[in-house]
Amino acid sequence: MNLTKQFFKYVSQNIFGLIGTSCYILADTYFIAQAAGTDGVTLLNLCLPMYNLIFAFGSMIGLGAATRYAILQAQGEARAQRYFSNAILCACLIAIPFMLAGAFCPGTLLQLMGGDGDIVALGLNYTRIFLLFTPFFMCNYIFSAFVRNDGDPSLAMVATLSGSLFNVVFDYIFIFPMGLGLPGAALATAISPVLSIAICSRHFFQKSNTLTFVRQAPSARLLVQSCQLGISGFVGELSSAVTTTVFNFLLLRLAGNVGVAAYGVVANFALVATAIFNGVAQGAQPLVSQCYGKNEMAGAKKLLLLGCGTALALAAVLYGAVFGFTDTFVALFNSESSALMAEYAHSGMRIYFLGYFFAGCNIVAAGYLGAVNRPTEATITSVSRGVAAIVTCSLILSALFGMNGVWSAFPAAEAITLALTVFLLKRPQSVCG
């Protein structure tokens, strides 16, 4: 199979898989909106940064370790096998503080995120349940990344889609027929990665499998080496947490809970959009890393161009859907028919999603830089779009233009970052020996 066909095979399957993953929270939002109205959407949006932080650690460890594995395997290095075991062990250790917070102080976390007394009371058990399942969320990233890098993107896709389908079906069952309410939504979301991991585990019984679990103590050195290449994934996921947190506080000041609820609609559709572009970047990553490991840089650069072109085409399709069906999308989560919330979300969707014309290329480029062992440049791109540019733009533009300034911060930050990313890509690149 030639490189272009391999690219579209890996990317298409990974996009479907990551859309499935993003549907964890999208399904929660829909059913919670039906069960608890605007307060339920506000609660979930306040919880999103916690989800993002968990996914950020899972992404950094999983993608970074799997990238190291792919490069070393292409070079015939036996030490490649140590990265899978170390990733699992380290993720479980990093998950412990999240679990303790969920067990003992979920209400404090909600207060820190800006929740008032009613929101804290509503979300106490929801927050506790999903935090206790943190190890499974993190390890799901690791299993799917390694299975994909070991030449089985189809199984990784099936695993994530199966987990998503379970989440959607059991969200409804747990919340309504069984009467568990919001804790039921958290339970459905928490069990989904357990199912995905179980399906991914089938790979270890196939003849094509080259992964083995090495009995070893957790290694800080291997973790650091993994995180160097996974830092762009970490910052990419963390950027959603930073953006959501900053936007939440700005919108609480400008419009109160209804403003945060409106952003909850935008943010949840943004999760799906980001998953699509992460699908392009992560789908191309195993192929780029193999080219880099074999010193075939012409192939790696071809994959970068294919990735950026695909991202731009997908951004155009995505924005056309958002522009054409804005009110329909907003109405899905506006169970109380709030005119003010609908007005805010309508403007937000149409302005915010312009940013994906730039964000798609930034996400693909950051993934490429990590895959060819350029962690510094990948980190600069990710930190710019995820922290520096978005915070600066949101503070300045919200002060100048109010609500529309908040929505405009995302496209402005991504445009600035794209200019920086093009400069970084043009810098001289070394190849491995």
Side-chain angles (χ1 to χ4, degrees), residues 314-329 349:
L314 289 171
V317 172
L318 182 69
Y319 192 75
V322 167
F323 194 87
F325 299 96
T326 308
D327 294 329
T328 302
F329 291 155
M349 291 283 285

Side-chain angles (χ1 to χ4, degrees), residues 120-135:
V120 171
L122 182 67
L124 202 63
N125 288 328
Y126 178 91
T127 307
R128 176 177 285 116
I129 290 170
F130 83 74
L131 286 175
L132 288 174
F133 278 76
T134 297

Side-chain angles (χ1 to χ4, degrees), residues 244-267:
T244 302
T245 302
V246 172
F247 278 28
N248 281 345
F249 280 108
L250 290 173
L251 292 169
L252 280 170
R253 178 175 57 82
L254 290 168
N257 282 353
V258 69
V260 176
Y263 179 51
V265 177
V266 177

Side-chain angles (χ1 to χ4, degrees), residues 235 239 242-243 246-247 362 380-397 405-406 408-420:
V235 178
S239 68
V242 171
T243 302
V246 172
F247 278 28
N362 287 329
I380 291 171
T381 292
S382 298
V383 169
S384 173
R385 66 177 295 264
V387 182
I390 190 65
V391 171
T392 302
C393 289
S394 62
L395 292 175
I396 293 173
L397 293 176
V406 177
S408 300
F410 176 66
E414 294 291 350
I416 292 169
T417 300
L418 184 58
L420 174 62

Side-chain angles (χ1 to χ4, degrees), residues 374 377 380 417-428:
R374 296 174 67 179
E377 291 96 328
I380 291 171
T417 300
L418 184 58
L420 174 62
T421 301
V422 171
F423 169 76
L424 293 173
L425 288 168
K426 289 183 176 180
R427 293 178 62 185

Side-chain angles (χ1 to χ4, degrees), residues 333-354:
F333 303 103
N334 191 12
S335 62
E336 297 177 345
S337 299
S338 168
L340 189 58
M341 190 260 218
E343 179 186 345
Y344 288 153
H346 179 95
S347 299
M349 291 283 285
R350 291 192 169 185
I351 297 173
Y352 189 95
F353 274 75
L354 286 169

